[in-house]
Every structure is written in structure tokens, then in C-alpha cells.
Amino acid sequence: MELWKLPAHSLHKLLVGGEVTAQEITSAFLQRLREVEPQLQAFITVTEELALEQAQEIDRRREKGEELPPLAGIPFALKDNISVRGIPTTCGSKMLENYIPVYDATIYKRLREAGSVLVGKTNMDEFAMGSSTEFSAFHVTRNPWNLERVPGGSSGGSAAAIAAGAANFALGTDTGGSIRQPAAFCGIVGIKPTYGRVSRYGVIPFASSLDQAGPMARTVTDAALVLNVISGHDQRDSTALKEPVPDYTSYLVPDVAGLKIGVPKEYFGEGIAPEVGAAIWEGIRLLEKLGARVEEFSLQTASHCLSAYYIIAPAEASSNLACYDGIRYGYRADVDDLLGMYTKSRRVLGSEVRRRIMLGTYALSAGYYDAYYHKAQQARTLIRQEFKEAFEKYDVLITPTTPNVAFALGAMVDDLLAMYLSDVCTLAANLAGLPAISLPCGFSQGMPIGMQILGKPFAEGKILQVAYTFEQETEYHKEFPPVSKGVM
Amino acid sequence: MQELEPVIGLEIHVELMTKTKLFCGCSVGFGAEPNSQTCPVCLGHPGSLPVLNKQAVEYAVKAGLALNCRIASTCKFDRKQYFYPDMSKNYQISQYDQPLCGEGYVDLEVDGKKKRIRIKRAHLEEDAGKLVHGSTAGGDVSLVDYNRSGVPLLEIVTEPDISSPAEARLFLTKLRNIIQYTGVSDCRMEEGSLRCDANISLRPRGTTELGTKTEIKNLNSFRAVERALAYEIERQTKVLAAGERVIQETRHWDEQAEVTRGMRSKEEAHDYRYFPDPNLLPLLVDQGWVERIRATLPELPDARKRRFMEELGLSDYDAEVLVAAKDVADYYEEVLKYYGDAKMAVNWVMVELMGLLRKEGLEITACPVSAENLGKLLVLQEKGTISGKMAKDIFAEMFSTGQDPETIVKEKGLSQISDAGVLAGLVDKVLAANPESVAAYRGGKDRALGYLVGQVMKETRGQANPQLVNQLLRERLDQPE
Amino acid sequence: MILDRKQVEEIAFLARLELTEEEKEEYAAQLSAILSHVAKLQELDTTGVPPTVHILPVSNVLREDEPGESLPVELALANAPEKAEGCFVVPRILEE
């Protein structure tokens, strides 16, 4: 039995039934991790010893007859911008290469309370700025479906690790698509929850009004189980709302009868690969066949999302990243004047990070604030308004997650705008704070295609139900990547 | 040349006396070991997030109300961005275009006339850490202590309504007084819980257009504010007289040299790039909340002064002096709980007590004589138990030993005469000398007894035990002749 | 180009970033390209539209004034590249 291929709920049954131990489960995933890691390079830190200790603890609890929660003993990975006390948390940056958090992120704490087992911290674009994980300061992560392609980003390490079975689930963070895009590129499920659903405490920020951490898993059910654990109010995060957390698994009922699906035309136009558009429409038709009602409509503001995003996100980032000055933590250049200490220490930030800091600094600077930042926040109001109106008519919206399948390594590094455009389908959910899920809905060039389902705020249950229904009717999620060079 | 008049505005930072910091649970005590009152939030560790302290909001509103400010029904927090090692995030969470407290005012009395200094705004913000100079093996360095990072401050900004250095000092004194009355800050400049920057420009008297201003920093006392402003008036006057222009800049007050110095300007080219902090949600203070806070406001100095004059009959001067120091006025009112003569009490507090405190360099809060004991002393004097002269001696003794007046009266041999044998002779003498009173008492006038007791007390210079005297007198008087 | 070299230098100073001469040219070009793309936003009529200050319909998230735990000093300083006397060390800052 290949334990690493099983979903969490199956592993849970085996564990509570006494058929396997948590240590056996963890060992199976660690062995798989060691097998694929040389090709994938999905991790920055592997916490093997810690994982085995945590697994042992679960076994002790089970032996004592304790009732184990659903994710107890299940191995997971964390994107390396999620703080774990005592474990290096680099954010994919040389700046934080030696940074060891003195506190735990709330979401890590919650997963530990649920008994899950940390196997490692995954690679990412530096400070989550990028769409391919090629902007990690440490190494490039490869797509397990084709090692010559990118896994997407910025949560590319998490996506590659889960697709290849190096962990059962992972947490990523999503500022403009950084969970959903790599999930789509690697053929797994990724959820960006409603802004305010999941605590950001201890998650190293990129853009604070857009960031949200969320689950990445092989199945909708596993993603729902993870969402159950990480959701909810946190008194350390003013924006983690008190909205009650339902049992998301209660939405896992295959039923879309009468569901109103809105399909925004703008997400199927220019720049969207025809095979991708076709696969999404095929998925939509399947849901229609199952009883959903489908209607195309127009989102006028769609073409402005990218612009608004590329002002707001860098503006917030320029401020969030000011703390990296070489004084309290992080890299410090050996210079004996104050200005030099700042500029030489911050030189260690990668070119894309510095570029976005520059962009954001400019957008907030005297004389340009109104034309850029203020204007973008006004656009954001209109974008939110238009989604609000759409959700008065539709229960969910369906779009492609990405305009195309995973691109080749190196293809976009010199064409920034093209890379930014790969987030064009996912940005809106962040700007409007909406929940969105990406799940596999087909293949093109041997690479997975992702379908994105958006819901109204706090309607995670609804999008999970639609995704689950789709998943039950399709086989895409049952495929495992070859972890080899594909046939291009 | 035309006569110039100074136009002065002040920016005052007041530290709010919460138990914890503005955005995290770290304590705010003064003088703790460096960096012992820090956590991921106030150290700006990646991923940490601020959560607003409710008490700080309520204190800020309370101070705002005391300064007659309009309290904003909705406000927000913004990031003020600049790099400096004492700033743990390299931005300060402050309030930019929507301060918690809007326009208000403080009324002063200048040359016998009322002068209103308008408050432009007062907003909440976090304090920065502290930089001190030190040295390591590598040479001279600066050391950063973030204990103060995140301590709640209320920044109060006045309109440029102040017309002289003396007026600036008067305003600060009054402002401090008002804030101290509210109890939201102790306003100790030496501990940094009150800080002040001053803006000053000159213009031809009688005109309304503002001249180019300079901002003076590093003002460590009210005296420094006054001196620095006086210096700056002189300096700017000379600049203008020479036909030159005043440069808009920040100038540092050099306490030793008693001059202001311009600061290098490159670091000064600030562009704070304010924008709303996405980590903090808007703050709405509705009327109900404002009224609940208003209800906790104590009587403020102006109202107290009026009450002292109208109800206790104090002079304008006495009332003003008392009220100007809340602790002194509180002490005074405490004395009145034990002793009823308000005017006598004010003399004692202002002359005897303050005199000794000044001589010893003590604050009234550290006064060795409790208000209760002073009250008791005054009662002893009023009853004639001790003379005024004795009261002063005893008071001096109370001040140096902290003892209560009764104990001192006893120990200093000022104790009452309780020997019946000694008193009997005196009683007989008094009875013999006052036949009318004796007759009156025997005729049923009990009041006459009091007079006779007084006479015996007088004979003993107040030292006789009044109860015993009373008893002895009754025994004699009630005997059949 | 929307941004010239001098502006790039000014922005870099505000952000405390050091750029080589080539980087200045490169950033001026790249940032200008991005800015001209986002300039599309100017086409959007936002007259009278309030900016989004926060996307959550919530206000007054407050904590009680109750002391929480502070870090032990050695942990507060654990990540400091340079420390002395229980403090973070920075280059000597000249008297202002």
C-alpha cells in the first residue's frame, strides 16, 4: 500500500482503526519526499526529526485511547513564509536565510493542535513575489508533471510537494493567485479563503489587504478538512473575523441542482489558451448537465484588476518590507554608517522584490498618491461593487484559474508583464476579498488545467460543494504526476 | 523696520497611562531592563500584527473631551513611513487625515484677559524605541532599546495662536494641568511622558499672513521651550533684518549652549507616504461611547477654581494657585474632610506646607504630613488645645518625623495635664475668680460650664486634659455649697 | 518613459535601496513599462467613488488593556545580527 497516495480521510481511518501508525504514515511520506525532492526541489527546510517526534506523540495519544481529530498524524508542509518557532522561515529570501521565528503563526498552532505533522517548509518566490517560484533566492522548483516546467508560484514548492505526494497537504498563501495558480499548474486543489476567514498572524506579509493563507491538497475533501482547522477568529489578527466556522465537510454533498453559475465573458477572451477555455467550458457543461443553470455575463471592471493589483500590492509591500533593515533580524551588511547599513543590507533583496518595492514606493509618494494608490483603491471599490451585483444573480462564478498551463522554466523571467498576466484570472478574488477554489479539470500538453470557482464572502461551503460535485464526476484528481521530464 | 510679532504653534506628545502598549500586551513601565518589555509585535517581527488597546482609545477620548475637542465618529490608522533605527517596522502607526480628536481649545488668562488657544487636532500613535550611545569592541555605536516602542501617545497639535514664549509656557502648564486632572497621563517631561516641539515664525505686527516657520525639537523642559522660542525670535529677527529669508527647517535646541541649530537637510527630505494600515480596521466612536467616557471626567481645573471661589470663598489668587497643581488641590480638599475652616486651611497648605516642601525639594505626593494629620492639627488649634505658635512648631515636627500631632503634643511635653491633683488647684482658682459663671451654671445654664473649662485650659496654655477638667468642674459645681 | 533616472534615484533613496548605474537605467525602463500598463486605470471613471480603505465590513476590533507575555530579552535579541548590553547595535548615529 502506498500510503502517500491516500487522501487524509482514508489515512485517518487506517490510523484510528489501528492498521497503521502515525509514524508509519509519516515515514512513508518522508520516504516519498526523499525520492522526489532531488528532482523537484520543492522544500527549503525538511523537518524530518520534528515530524517523527510529532508522529510519535500522536501514536502515544492513540495508544492511550484518545479520540484523534481528522487530521491527526497527517503529514503536511508549510510555505516558507509561515512562521514556526525555532524553525528557519526564510520567505524564499537571502534576507531571512538565518531568521528563526520566536513565535508560531496561528495557523501552524491550529494544525499542531489538530495533531498534524510538519514535514517541511516549502520553496516560494522571494517574499511571495512571483508566479513561478523561479524568484526564490535559493533554488528553482520544478513541476512534477514535467520537470522542465515551472510549478507556478508563489506557493510553487507547496503545490509541487503535494502533487508529488511529499506531503498530504500544504498551506500556501495567496495575494493575487499564489495558491490557485500553482495548484492549477500542478493539478491539485487550492483554496484562497475569504479575506478575514483565516488568521494572518505569523504569516510574513506581502500585501496585507490581499494576503490570505489557505489549503492545498489532492482532493476537495482534504482541502475542506484543512479549512476546518485553520479558519476562524484570532485575537491576534484584527482582520480575522468572528464569523462562525461551519463544518466545511458538511458541504461535501454532490448536488448542484438549481445552482446558478455565472460565467464572466472577459475571462475567456484574448490571452486565454483555447484548450484551457475549452476545458473550463467542458467542466461548466458537466455541471449544467448535473442540474446547474449557466449564464454568461460581463464583468466590466475585469480589465482593470491587473492595474489596480499592480499598484495596491506593491504599495503595501513597499511598506511591509521596510522592516528588513538589518537591525532586529535578517541580513546585515558590515558597514559603519546608518544609510549604508540600510542600503547595503537591503541589497540582498532580489531584483523582483526591489522592483516591486520601487513601484510601491512611487505609487505612495507625494504627488503620485492620488493618481496611483488612491485611484487603484477607487477601482477596487468598483470591482467589489460589480462582484456584489454578480452574486445577487449567481451563486458561484466559474473561470479558468490561469490563461494557460504551466510554462517552461525561464520562459517568463525576462518578460515581467507576461508573467504578471499569468495572474490575470486570480487577482480579482483578492481585490474583492472573495473565496475561490482551483481544482483540476483537464490536461493540455500533458499539463493540468485548473478551473476556478468563486463565491461570495464566507461562502466557502458553497464553492466546496460545487467543486466536490465536479470532482466526484471526474477522474483528474486521481492522476499522479510522473515526476520526470515530460514530452513537450 | 516694522515691528515683528511671533506666531507660535506647539505639538505635544502625551504618553497615555495604559498598562500595556497601544497594539500589543507588553507592559509600559518606565526604567525596565532594555528590551525586556518587547514582543514580536512591538519588535516588528515579520508576520506579527497590531491589535488596538481599548483603554488607549478611551484615554485619548477623555483627554480630547477635557480639551474641548470634537470627537470624530469615525477614524482610522495610517502608516507614517520613514527609516530610523528606533522604529521597529520603519513605519509608525499613527493617524493622518482622520484623527480621533478634532478641533478643541484651551482658555488661558493672559494679562488679566481671556485668551483662547485653539487645538487643531489630537491623535493616537505609537511611540518609537530609544537610542543611546554606547561602545563595543568595534568602536562607537548606538544601542537600540525597544521597550518604549509601541507605547501609546496622544499627539496634540495647536493652531498657531500663541503670541510669545511666556504664553507658550503658560499654555503648556495649563495643558499639563488639564491632562493630569483627567488622569490619562502623568505628563512627566523628565520621564518623557510629555514632549513638546514648537513651530515659530515671525510676521509684521497686525498682518495675518504667516511667515516661514522653523520647527524646534529637543525641548526637555517648559523652561527650554520658553528659552528656545526666545532665542529663535531673536535669530529670525536678525535674519529678516539682514534682508535674508528664514529657511523652513527643523532646528535642535542645544540646552548647554542655549542656541537652536539647523539639522542636516538630506535626511530631512521626508516623504512619509502615509496610507491606511491594512492591519487595523476603522474605529467608530459613537455618541453613547463618548458620553460614557465624558461621565468619567473629573472636575477640571477651571470648574474647580470656580467652586473654590464660590463655595469656599477663596480668593482668585489662592484658588488659581491651588488648582494649578492638582495634587495640592487634592491634598487641600482632603484636609477639609477633617477641618472645616477653608480659609485657614488654604493658608496652612499654601504657606506652611508648601514652604516646607519647597525647602526640602519634595513633591506634595511625597509629603510626610498626611492631609488627615494636618486637619487634626488645625482642629487642635481651633479648639484652643494648642496655640497658633505651638501649632507651627508641632507642624515642623510632624514634617520631619511624619508623626501625628497628638503624639508630638504628648512627647514634646506639650501633652495635656491629666494629673487631677494639679488640676484641682487650678479648678478651684478659676471657680473662685468667676463667681458669675458659677452662679449661672447652678442656675441651670449648662453653657457656663464650657466657659469655665476654657478658663482652665487657658491657665494651662492648652495642656490640660479637657475631659478631666470637665469632670473636676462638674464635681465641684454639683456639690452642695 | 514615465520615470527618469533622477526619479528612480529619489524613489530608491526613500526605500533605502542602492542601485548600480545599470540598474537605474534598467529600473527606469521596467518601471515605466509597468506604469504605462497600469495607466489604463485612468480610463476608469471613478468620479465620486470612495476608495476602498478596508474590504471588511467591520470596525472597532479592540483588546482589553491586559498585560500579555513579553519575550525574554535573549529571545528578543536572538535574531539580531549585532547586539550588546541587551540592546540592538547600529552604527553610531551622529548627534543631531
Side-chain angles (χ1 to χ4, degrees), chain B residues 331 344-360 364 367 369 374 377-378 381 388-396 399:
Chain B
Y331 185 99
M344 176 65 81
V346 85
N347 285 332
W348 271 83
V349 170
M350 285 174 50
V351 181
E352 305 303 327
L353 179 74
M354 294 312 288
L356 279 177
L357 287 172
R358 256 193 302 275
K359 210 171 109 195
E360 300 297 324
I364 195 157
C367 179
V369 179
L374 176 54
L377 178 73
L378 297 182
Q381 178 190 258
K389 165 87 178 62
M390 281 166 75
K392 285 180 190 176
D393 295 342
I394 293 167
F395 182 69
F399 196 90

Side-chain angles (χ1 to χ4, degrees), chain C residues 24-83:
Chain C
K24 284 176 197 168
E25 299 297 335
E26 193 185 306
Y27 276 29
Q30 286 170 336
L31 295 176
S32 293
I34 297 166
L35 288 170
S36 69
H37 186 90
V38 304
K40 192 176 162 6
L41 210 53
Q42 301 308 324
E43 295 164 14
L44 191 64
D45 182 7
T46 53
T47 319
V49 176
T52 292
V53 174
H54 223 292
I55 59 173
L56 296 174
V58 173
S59 55
N60 292 16
V61 178
L62 299 157
R63 44 172 271 272
E64 296 301 323
D65 186 24
E66 286 157 8
E69 254 178 65
S70 292
L71 292 168
V73 177
E74 58 277 16
L75 213 51
L77 294 166
N79 279 289
E82 215 184 310
K83 56 200 157 192

Side-chain angles (χ1 to χ4, degrees), chain B residues 1 4 202 232-242 246:
Chain B
M1 192 177 135
L4 296 170
L202 301 182
E232 193 58 17
I233 290 170
E234 206 180 306
R235 189 190 69 85
Q236 289 188 16
T237 305
K238 276 186 204 153
V239 168
L240 294 171
V246 171

Side-chain angles (χ1 to χ4, degrees), chain B residues 19-21 24-26 35 38 51-54 83-84 133 140 142-144 146 252 278 281-284, chain C residues 14 16 54 58-63 65-68 70-71 73 76 85-90 92-93 95-96:
Chain B
K19 292 203 274 289
T20 67
K21 293 184 178 180
C24 65
C26 286
N35 294 300
T38 62
V51 184
L52 183 59
N53 183 336
K54 184 179 176 191
F83 282 81
Y84 207 65
H133 298 299
D140 278 355
S142 292
L143 301 172
V144 199
Y146 290 106
H252 226 63
L281 295 161
L283 177 63
L284 309 186
Chain C
L14 276 178
R16 298 296 185 272
H54 223 292
V58 173
S59 55
N60 292 16
V61 178
L62 299 157
R63 44 172 271 272
D65 186 24
E66 286 157 8
S70 292
L71 292 168
V73 177
E85 297 167 44
C87 290
F88 298 87
V89 172
V90 295
R92 173 83 189 235
I93 292 159
E95 292 285 352
E96 286 168 313

